[in-house]
mmCIF file with all atom_site columns, all heavy atoms in Angstrom:
data_model
loop_
_atom_site.group_PDB
_atom_site.id
_atom_site.type_symbol
_atom_site.label_atom_id
_atom_site.label_alt_id
_atom_site.label_comp_id
_atom_site.label_asym_id
_atom_site.label_entity_id
_atom_site.label_seq_id
_atom_site.pdbx_PDB_ins_code
_atom_site.Cartn_x
_atom_site.Cartn_y
_atom_site.Cartn_z
_atom_site.occupancy
_atom_site.B_iso_or_equiv
_atom_site.pdbx_formal_charge
_atom_site.auth_seq_id
_atom_site.auth_comp_id
_atom_site.auth_asym_id
_atom_site.auth_atom_id
_atom_site.pdbx_PDB_model_num
ATOM 1   N N   . SER A 1 108 ? 2.543  -8.994 -21.326 1.00 0.00 ? 133 SER A N   1
ATOM 2   C CA  . SER A 1 108 ? 2.329  -7.589 -21.689 1.00 0.00 ? 133 SER A CA  1
ATOM 3   C C   . SER A 1 108 ? 2.913  -6.591 -20.668 1.00 0.00 ? 133 SER A C   1
ATOM 4   O O   . SER A 1 108 ? 2.905  -5.403 -20.904 1.00 0.00 ? 133 SER A O   1
ATOM 5   C CB  . SER A 1 108 ? 0.829  -7.341 -21.814 1.00 0.00 ? 133 SER A CB  1
ATOM 6   O OG  . SER A 1 108 ? 0.182  -7.450 -20.549 1.00 0.00 ? 133 SER A OG  1
ATOM 7   N N   . ASN A 1 109 ? 3.369  -7.114 -19.524 1.00 0.00 ? 134 ASN A N   1
ATOM 8   C CA  . ASN A 1 109 ? 3.883  -6.268 -18.451 1.00 0.00 ? 134 ASN A CA  1
ATOM 9   C C   . ASN A 1 109 ? 2.895  -5.277 -17.875 1.00 0.00 ? 134 ASN A C   1
ATOM 10  O O   . ASN A 1 109 ? 3.251  -4.340 -17.239 1.00 0.00 ? 134 ASN A O   1
ATOM 11  C CB  . ASN A 1 109 ? 5.147  -5.514 -18.868 1.00 0.00 ? 134 ASN A CB  1
ATOM 12  C CG  . ASN A 1 109 ? 6.341  -6.437 -19.092 1.00 0.00 ? 134 ASN A CG  1
ATOM 13  O OD1 . ASN A 1 109 ? 6.441  -7.455 -18.490 1.00 0.00 ? 134 ASN A OD1 1
ATOM 14  N ND2 . ASN A 1 109 ? 7.193  -6.055 -19.995 1.00 0.00 ? 134 ASN A ND2 1
ATOM 15  N N   . LEU A 1 110 ? 1.612  -5.521 -18.126 1.00 0.00 ? 135 LEU A N   1
ATOM 16  C CA  . LEU A 1 110 ? 0.558  -4.692 -17.526 1.00 0.00 ? 135 LEU A CA  1
ATOM 17  C C   . LEU A 1 110 ? 0.341  -5.069 -16.083 1.00 0.00 ? 135 LEU A C   1
ATOM 18  O O   . LEU A 1 110 ? 0.241  -6.269 -15.735 1.00 0.00 ? 135 LEU A O   1
ATOM 19  C CB  . LEU A 1 110 ? -0.758 -4.805 -18.298 1.00 0.00 ? 135 LEU A CB  1
ATOM 20  C CG  . LEU A 1 110 ? -0.752 -4.309 -19.698 1.00 0.00 ? 135 LEU A CG  1
ATOM 21  C CD1 . LEU A 1 110 ? -2.083 -4.619 -20.364 1.00 0.00 ? 135 LEU A CD1 1
ATOM 22  C CD2 . LEU A 1 110 ? -0.462 -2.787 -19.741 1.00 0.00 ? 135 LEU A CD2 1
ATOM 23  N N   . LEU A 1 111 ? 0.331  -4.080 -15.192 1.00 0.00 ? 136 LEU A N   1
ATOM 24  C CA  . LEU A 1 111 ? 0.093  -4.334 -13.762 1.00 0.00 ? 136 LEU A CA  1
ATOM 25  C C   . LEU A 1 111 ? -1.392 -4.313 -13.495 1.00 0.00 ? 136 LEU A C   1
ATOM 26  O O   . LEU A 1 111 ? -2.130 -3.485 -14.007 1.00 0.00 ? 136 LEU A O   1
ATOM 27  C CB  . LEU A 1 111 ? 0.781  -3.265 -12.950 1.00 0.00 ? 136 LEU A CB  1
ATOM 28  C CG  . LEU A 1 111 ? 2.297  -3.169 -13.058 1.00 0.00 ? 136 LEU A CG  1
ATOM 29  C CD1 . LEU A 1 111 ? 2.826  -1.985 -12.254 1.00 0.00 ? 136 LEU A CD1 1
ATOM 30  C CD2 . LEU A 1 111 ? 2.936  -4.460 -12.535 1.00 0.00 ? 136 LEU A CD2 1
ATOM 31  N N   . GLY A 1 112 ? -1.811 -5.278 -12.683 1.00 0.00 ? 137 GLY A N   1
ATOM 32  C CA  . GLY A 1 112 ? -3.232 -5.314 -12.280 1.00 0.00 ? 137 GLY A CA  1
ATOM 33  C C   . GLY A 1 112 ? -3.490 -4.331 -11.186 1.00 0.00 ? 137 GLY A C   1
ATOM 34  O O   . GLY A 1 112 ? -2.590 -3.794 -10.531 1.00 0.00 ? 137 GLY A O   1
ATOM 35  N N   . LYS A 1 113 ? -4.746 -3.991 -10.999 1.00 0.00 ? 138 LYS A N   1
ATOM 36  C CA  . LYS A 1 113 ? -5.161 -3.020 -9.970  1.00 0.00 ? 138 LYS A CA  1
ATOM 37  C C   . LYS A 1 113 ? -5.001 -3.641 -8.601  1.00 0.00 ? 138 LYS A C   1
ATOM 38  O O   . LYS A 1 113 ? -5.486 -4.734 -8.302  1.00 0.00 ? 138 LYS A O   1
ATOM 39  C CB  . LYS A 1 113 ? -6.592 -2.572 -10.202 1.00 0.00 ? 138 LYS A CB  1
ATOM 40  C CG  . LYS A 1 113 ? -7.020 -1.410 -9.387  1.00 0.00 ? 138 LYS A CG  1
ATOM 41  C CD  . LYS A 1 113 ? -8.274 -0.800 -9.891  1.00 0.00 ? 138 LYS A CD  1
ATOM 42  C CE  . LYS A 1 113 ? -8.773 0.276  -9.042  1.00 0.00 ? 138 LYS A CE  1
ATOM 43  N NZ  . LYS A 1 113 ? -7.994 1.464  -8.921  1.00 0.00 ? 138 LYS A NZ  1
ATOM 44  N N   . VAL A 1 114 ? -4.355 -2.927 -7.708  1.00 0.00 ? 139 VAL A N   1
ATOM 45  C CA  . VAL A 1 114 ? -4.180 -3.351 -6.329  1.00 0.00 ? 139 VAL A CA  1
ATOM 46  C C   . VAL A 1 114 ? -4.389 -2.163 -5.436  1.00 0.00 ? 139 VAL A C   1
ATOM 47  O O   . VAL A 1 114 ? -4.382 -0.972 -5.916  1.00 0.00 ? 139 VAL A O   1
ATOM 48  C CB  . VAL A 1 114 ? -2.733 -3.901 -6.048  1.00 0.00 ? 139 VAL A CB  1
ATOM 49  C CG1 . VAL A 1 114 ? -2.509 -5.247 -6.793  1.00 0.00 ? 139 VAL A CG1 1
ATOM 50  C CG2 . VAL A 1 114 ? -1.668 -2.915 -6.394  1.00 0.00 ? 139 VAL A CG2 1
ATOM 51  N N   . ASP A 1 115 ? -4.582 -2.369 -4.174  1.00 0.00 ? 140 ASP A N   1
ATOM 52  C CA  . ASP A 1 115 ? -4.689 -1.292 -3.196  1.00 0.00 ? 140 ASP A CA  1
ATOM 53  C C   . ASP A 1 115 ? -3.365 -0.500 -3.226  1.00 0.00 ? 140 ASP A C   1
ATOM 54  O O   . ASP A 1 115 ? -2.302 -1.111 -3.246  1.00 0.00 ? 140 ASP A O   1
ATOM 55  C CB  . ASP A 1 115 ? -4.961 -1.856 -1.832  1.00 0.00 ? 140 ASP A CB  1
ATOM 56  C CG  . ASP A 1 115 ? -5.180 -0.772 -0.776  1.00 0.00 ? 140 ASP A CG  1
ATOM 57  O OD1 . ASP A 1 115 ? -6.300 -0.318 -0.653  1.00 0.00 ? 140 ASP A OD1 1
ATOM 58  O OD2 . ASP A 1 115 ? -4.205 -0.429 -0.117  1.00 0.00 ? 140 ASP A OD2 1
ATOM 59  N N   . PHE A 1 116 ? -3.426 0.808  -3.218  1.00 0.00 ? 141 PHE A N   1
ATOM 60  C CA  . PHE A 1 116 ? -2.223 1.624  -3.363  1.00 0.00 ? 141 PHE A CA  1
ATOM 61  C C   . PHE A 1 116 ? -1.177 1.287  -2.250  1.00 0.00 ? 141 PHE A C   1
ATOM 62  O O   . PHE A 1 116 ? -0.010 1.273  -2.500  1.00 0.00 ? 141 PHE A O   1
ATOM 63  C CB  . PHE A 1 116 ? -2.585 3.100  -3.356  1.00 0.00 ? 141 PHE A CB  1
ATOM 64  C CG  . PHE A 1 116 ? -1.381 4.019  -3.620  1.00 0.00 ? 141 PHE A CG  1
ATOM 65  C CD1 . PHE A 1 116 ? -0.798 4.041  -4.891  1.00 0.00 ? 141 PHE A CD1 1
ATOM 66  C CD2 . PHE A 1 116 ? -0.950 4.867  -2.671  1.00 0.00 ? 141 PHE A CD2 1
ATOM 67  C CE1 . PHE A 1 116 ? 0.264  4.860  -5.145  1.00 0.00 ? 141 PHE A CE1 1
ATOM 68  C CE2 . PHE A 1 116 ? 0.099  5.772  -2.929  1.00 0.00 ? 141 PHE A CE2 1
ATOM 69  C CZ  . PHE A 1 116 ? 0.727  5.736  -4.205  1.00 0.00 ? 141 PHE A CZ  1
ATOM 70  N N   . TYR A 1 117 ? -1.657 1.029  -1.050  1.00 0.00 ? 142 TYR A N   1
ATOM 71  C CA  . TYR A 1 117 ? -0.719 0.716  0.055   1.00 0.00 ? 142 TYR A CA  1
ATOM 72  C C   . TYR A 1 117 ? -0.822 -0.801 0.391   1.00 0.00 ? 142 TYR A C   1
ATOM 73  O O   . TYR A 1 117 ? -0.686 -1.163 1.548   1.00 0.00 ? 142 TYR A O   1
ATOM 74  C CB  . TYR A 1 117 ? -1.078 1.540  1.253   1.00 0.00 ? 142 TYR A CB  1
ATOM 75  C CG  . TYR A 1 117 ? -0.785 3.017  1.107   1.00 0.00 ? 142 TYR A CG  1
ATOM 76  C CD1 . TYR A 1 117 ? -1.825 3.924  0.977   1.00 0.00 ? 142 TYR A CD1 1
ATOM 77  C CD2 . TYR A 1 117 ? 0.532  3.499  1.143   1.00 0.00 ? 142 TYR A CD2 1
ATOM 78  C CE1 . TYR A 1 117 ? -1.555 5.283  0.804   1.00 0.00 ? 142 TYR A CE1 1
ATOM 79  C CE2 . TYR A 1 117 ? 0.810  4.817  0.979   1.00 0.00 ? 142 TYR A CE2 1
ATOM 80  C CZ  . TYR A 1 117 ? -0.225 5.718  0.811   1.00 0.00 ? 142 TYR A CZ  1
ATOM 81  O OH  . TYR A 1 117 ? 0.042  7.058  0.702   1.00 0.00 ? 142 TYR A OH  1
ATOM 82  N N   . TYR A 1 118 ? -0.993 -1.672 -0.590  1.00 0.00 ? 143 TYR A N   1
ATOM 83  C CA  . TYR A 1 118 ? -1.193 -3.078 -0.265  1.00 0.00 ? 143 TYR A CA  1
ATOM 84  C C   . TYR A 1 118 ? -0.019 -3.684 0.501   1.00 0.00 ? 143 TYR A C   1
ATOM 85  O O   . TYR A 1 118 ? -0.231 -4.467 1.436   1.00 0.00 ? 143 TYR A O   1
ATOM 86  C CB  . TYR A 1 118 ? -1.550 -3.899 -1.510  1.00 0.00 ? 143 TYR A CB  1
ATOM 87  C CG  . TYR A 1 118 ? -0.382 -4.375 -2.335  1.00 0.00 ? 143 TYR A CG  1
ATOM 88  C CD1 . TYR A 1 118 ? 0.109  -5.712 -2.129  1.00 0.00 ? 143 TYR A CD1 1
ATOM 89  C CD2 . TYR A 1 118 ? 0.201  -3.640 -3.345  1.00 0.00 ? 143 TYR A CD2 1
ATOM 90  C CE1 . TYR A 1 118 ? 1.157  -6.167 -2.912  1.00 0.00 ? 143 TYR A CE1 1
ATOM 91  C CE2 . TYR A 1 118 ? 1.225  -4.115 -4.104  1.00 0.00 ? 143 TYR A CE2 1
ATOM 92  C CZ  . TYR A 1 118 ? 1.694  -5.394 -3.902  1.00 0.00 ? 143 TYR A CZ  1
ATOM 93  O OH  . TYR A 1 118 ? 2.759  -5.850 -4.638  1.00 0.00 ? 143 TYR A OH  1
ATOM 94  N N   . GLN A 1 119 ? 1.203  -3.381 0.138   1.00 0.00 ? 144 GLN A N   1
ATOM 95  C CA  . GLN A 1 119 ? 2.363  -3.943 0.855   1.00 0.00 ? 144 GLN A CA  1
ATOM 96  C C   . GLN A 1 119 ? 2.491  -3.475 2.268   1.00 0.00 ? 144 GLN A C   1
ATOM 97  O O   . GLN A 1 119 ? 2.684  -4.262 3.152   1.00 0.00 ? 144 GLN A O   1
ATOM 98  C CB  . GLN A 1 119 ? 3.629  -3.639 0.031   1.00 0.00 ? 144 GLN A CB  1
ATOM 99  C CG  . GLN A 1 119 ? 3.670  -4.321 -1.327  1.00 0.00 ? 144 GLN A CG  1
ATOM 100 C CD  . GLN A 1 119 ? 4.740  -3.792 -2.218  1.00 0.00 ? 144 GLN A CD  1
ATOM 101 O OE1 . GLN A 1 119 ? 4.709  -2.602 -2.567  1.00 0.00 ? 144 GLN A OE1 1
ATOM 102 N NE2 . GLN A 1 119 ? 5.709  -4.585 -2.592  1.00 0.00 ? 144 GLN A NE2 1
#
Side-chain angles (χ1 to χ4, degrees):
S133 66
N134 291 331
L135 294 176
L136 298 174
K138 190 166 175 63
V139 293
D140 184 85
F141 188 65
Y142 292 107
Y143 85 95
Q144 292 166 298

